[in-house]
Structures are given as structure tokens and as C-alpha cells.
Amino acid sequence: MSQTLATLLADYQQMALIRRFEEEAARLYGMGLIGGFCHLSIGQEAVAVGVVGARAPGDQVITSHRDHGYALACGMEPRAVMAELTGRIGGASRGKGGSMHIFAPDQDFYGGHGIVGAPASLGSGLAFANRYRSNGRVAFVVFGEGAANQGQVYECFNMAALWRLPALYIIENNRYAMGTAVERSASEPRFYRRGLSFGIPGVAVDGMDVVAVREATARAARHVRAGEGPYLLEMKTYRYRGHSMSDPARYRPRDEVERVRRRRDPIQQLKRLVLTRDPDLATELDEIDKTVQQRIEDASAFAKASPEPPPEHLLRDIYSA
């Protein structure tokens, strides 16, 4: 098997894992086992998998509230992520962070952040530390097109360009932000151009194609790592669910989601590509699906069985004067 085909199969496995995980999270939310906010990335799997797949060892990833997919793509165990969603002690943040605050610094994943636009500021800080230490690492800074209108984002662009920070800014454009179509909320909807006034180059990428995402991210990372300064990627993607589980998404046409699923679903597109390369891999793809389903069932069972944090943990992991 060629390495390219092996990579495609690995990407398929990761994307299927994220899809099944998010579907199970939706089910547990409906049962009342997940509380608070829960933002799913069903439909956006190719972005997380392609971006993370282009990292070099030591590169950091930081993202916003829609973070489950990135956590899994960075190598976190589904058990730890699912238990965190259910607020259990077996979770990645010991059940204290929930859906929007999942971290794994040992895997260079710096979260999940609920404040809109925060990844731009914090991620630029990671990039500044990389430059200060001359360690050759790149900070992959991910946020949505809704956050791209925040003032702090442009302050970060300015500083990153001035100091030639090794920051790769990735805007996930799923077209609806928190509930408003991008055409109604952005005077410049071509988000890859948002850095041009600061001298930051950018390109638009088909975020439903994991191969395109991986290749574009790898090219941009090479630019940044070479000391050429920051770069901006606009990932044009689509989410099948609303902004969060409490959002019925009535602001878009009823048939739009089904039309995208039918024509552009990232997992089905990748599956077709694999089978075009080698039709005999149909059985292996089926086995991957079965293995993924078993892992998600295991993660769900673990999350349900894991106890809640005891009361004495309430004052742990906080700062005091």
C-alpha cells in the first residue's frame, strides 16, 4: 500500500471517529447526561483532521468552543473527552471544563476556549513564545468566521506581522457563525483576505476535502516555519447541526443541510476517493467503521460509569492570593 493511501485510510478513521463521537454526544445530551453548552462539529471533520495532520512535532493547536474534533484529532482518548462532556472525574479536565474547555498540553493541544475570539489572542501568545525561544514550532490558531470580526483578532494580526510570529491563523467559515448568514454580517466575506492590510497572505481552502486541507495547511506551515511571518487560511466548511445543541438552526433553508450531506459530505467524499484508488479496500473501510463504533460505545460507557468530582475538588486547580 502506498503511503498516500495509508494516510487516506488514517484520515478516514479519524474523521469517522469524530463523526461517531459527536453523534453519541448529541444522544447523551438529549438524555440529559451532558449539560450546559455543547457545540458539535458534524460536517466539519475534514478541517480538524487535515489541519492536525499537517503539524510537525511540537506544533501547537488552539481552538474555540467547537473543540471536540480537534481534541480527538490531536490524539486524545475518546473516553477522556466524553467523560469531560458529562462532567465526570475521568474527563480530560477532571470534569470541571465541560464541552468548551478540553486541554491536553502533553499533546500540544491548548484548548477549547469559550470566549469568542480568544484563540487569536492566546494563540498569538503561543507563537510569540515560540519566536522568543527560537524553537522552530508553529502555533495553529483556529477560530470561526463569526469571531473574525472581533477587534482583538486584528490587534493580533498587527503584532504577528510586525514581529513575524510563527502563527498560522485558520478561520473555519461554516457560513452561519452563531446564527447569522455570513453575507449579512461581514462586509468582506472573503476571510482569507482579512490579513492583507497587515501584509499577511492568505488563501481559501475547500474545508470539505481533507486532502485539500492537509496540503494547504502544510504549505502555509512551511511558509511560517521558514520565518516568513504569519499566514491565514480560510477553511470553507459547513456544520450540519446548529451553533449548539440548543439551536434549531431555523435561519437556513430546510433542505440545505441534506443537499450538502448528499453532495459534499467530507467522509463520503474521502471514502469515494479511497475506493477509486483501490476498490478492494471496501472491506477495510467497513472494519474501520466497526472499530470506531466500538471505541465510541466504550467511551460512552466509561463516561456514564465515571463518578462526578467529589466536593473537596471544588477548590482545586484555582489560583489564590
Side-chain angles (χ1 to χ4, degrees), residues 1 13 33 75 146 274 303:
M1 185 189 305
Q13 184 173 31
L33 295 176
V274 169

Side-chain angles (χ1 to χ4, degrees), residues 109-287:
F109 179 62
Y110 286 81
H113 298 272
I115 302 299
V116 175
S121 300
L122 298 172
S124 297
L126 290 171
F128 179 82
N130 291 339
R131 185 181 185 279
Y132 188 81
R133 295 166 177 158
S134 299
N135 57 20
R137 298 179 177 181
V138 173
F140 289 53
V141 184
V142 184
F143 50 94
E145 89 282 0
N149 293 320
Q150 286 261 326
Q152 62 181 308
V153 171
Y154 298 97
E155 293 179 48
C156 292
F157 284 175
N158 185 56
M159 288 187 290
L162 275 173
W163 299 334
R164 301 182 78 80
L165 299 185
L168 176 50
Y169 296 106
I170 298 165
I171 299 177
E172 290 184 316
N173 180 4
N174 62 30
R175 295 172 50 187
Y176 289 103
M178 197 172 175
T180 303
V182 67
E183 294 81 6
R184 298 179 58 205
S185 60
S187 61
E188 172 51 278
R190 295 168 296 179
F191 290 91
Y192 67 93
R193 295 170 54 89
R194 291 295 184 97
L196 291 182
S197 63
F198 303 98
I200 301 175
V203 297
V205 184
D206 181 358
M208 306 299 274
D209 180 345
V210 69
V211 175
V213 171
R214 179 190 289 269
E215 291 179 350
T217 305
R219 285 194 299 270
R222 286 194 295 270
H223 169 99
V224 174
R225 206 181 311 279
E228 298 296 325
Y231 203 94
L232 195 157
L233 295 175
E234 178 192 353
M235 299 295 178
K236 304 184 82 167
T237 185
Y238 191 83
R239 63 166 193 252
Y240 294 167
R241 299 286 186 124
H243 171 70
S244 69
M245 282 297 295
S246 60
D247 172 19
R250 293 186 180 129
Y251 41 78
R252 58 187 177 188
R254 290 185 178 181
D255 63 342
E256 185 177 272
V257 175
E258 185 53 40
R259 186 167 64 250
V260 175
R261 275 186 182 270
R262 187 172 61 252
R263 298 177 182 175
R264 304 191 63 230
D265 182 81
I267 296 177
Q268 293 305 314
Q269 286 192 93
L270 180 55
K271 186 174 186 178
R272 288 193 292 269
L273 176 60
V274 169
L275 294 177
T276 298
R277 297 272 185 94
D278 187 347
D280 293 335
L281 287 174
T283 300
E284 185 164 348
L285 290 172
D286 289 341
E287 287 302 315

